[in-house]
Structure formats: structure tokens, C-alpha cells
Amino acid sequence: METRVAIIGIIVEEESSVNELNRILHEYGSYIIGRMGIPYHKKEINIISIAVDAPQDVISALAGKLGKLPGVSSKAAYTRKQ
């Protein structure tokens, strides 16, 4: 199956969702190339960037699951190459 490289941007506004967010990321860990998290104390949010290499449907599913968590927003940006 062909894979694509993508970045999933995640904004966490509800600290209570962090454990479930980490559980989901662990579930998809085999697709994750790297992860960077930045706490932004001034706005009381966390900004997370996940680089993934996975089939497009897997990337969409991951971004969708994350975005359904309370106080969490997510968006995927894909490479044009497959």
C-alpha cells in the first residue's frame, strides 16, 4: 500500500484530553516519524506537530480521532508526492 508523508498540527486547549491524546498517538506509533511539542504558557495551550508516513486513510483517521477529543483541534497537511 502506498504511503504519504504528512504533518499533523495539533492544538490542545483542554489538559484533561492529554492522556487520551497520548494513547491515540501510541496506537499509531508505527507511522510516526517524529513529534515536537511546545507548551505556550502565555495562552495556556500546547502546540504539537506530528510527522507521519502512512496511507492517506490512516492519516485522516488519526487526525479525525484527535480532533474529536474535547478541547483539541487537528489538521493534516500532505506532501504532493506519494
Side-chain angles (χ1 to χ4, degrees), residues 6-7 9 11 14-17 19 21 24 32-34 40 45 51 56 58-59 64 71 73-75 79 81:
I7 296 290
I11 304 290
E14 292 287 332
E15 192 173 330
S16 61
S17 293
N19 286 337
L21 181 143
I24 293 169
I32 296 175
I33 301 167
Y40 189 29
I45 62 171
Q56 187 163 347
V58 171
I59 297 168
S73 302
S74 68
K75 189 81 167 178
T79 59
K81 292 182 180 182

Side-chain angles (χ1 to χ4, degrees), residues 17-34:
S17 293
V18 171
N19 286 337
E20 183 63 12
L21 181 143
N22 284 323
R23 187 199 65 75
I24 293 169
L25 292 178
H26 182 75
E27 179 183 334
Y28 286 83
S30 62
Y31 299 108
I32 296 175
I33 301 167

Side-chain angles (χ1 to χ4, degrees), residues 23-71:
R23 187 199 65 75
I24 293 169
L25 292 178
H26 182 75
E27 179 183 334
Y28 286 83
S30 62
Y31 299 108
I32 296 175
I33 301 167
R35 171 181 176 170
M36 178 180 64
I38 303 168
Y40 189 29
H41 301 293
K42 181 179 177 180
K43 298 284 186 174
E44 297 182 358
I45 62 171
N46 290 292
I47 304 161
I48 303 170
S49 177
I50 306 290
V52 295
D53 184 0
Q56 187 163 347
D57 60 331
V58 171
I59 297 168
S60 295
L62 173 55
K65 284 182 181 181
L66 295 172
K68 288 181 183 178
L69 295 173

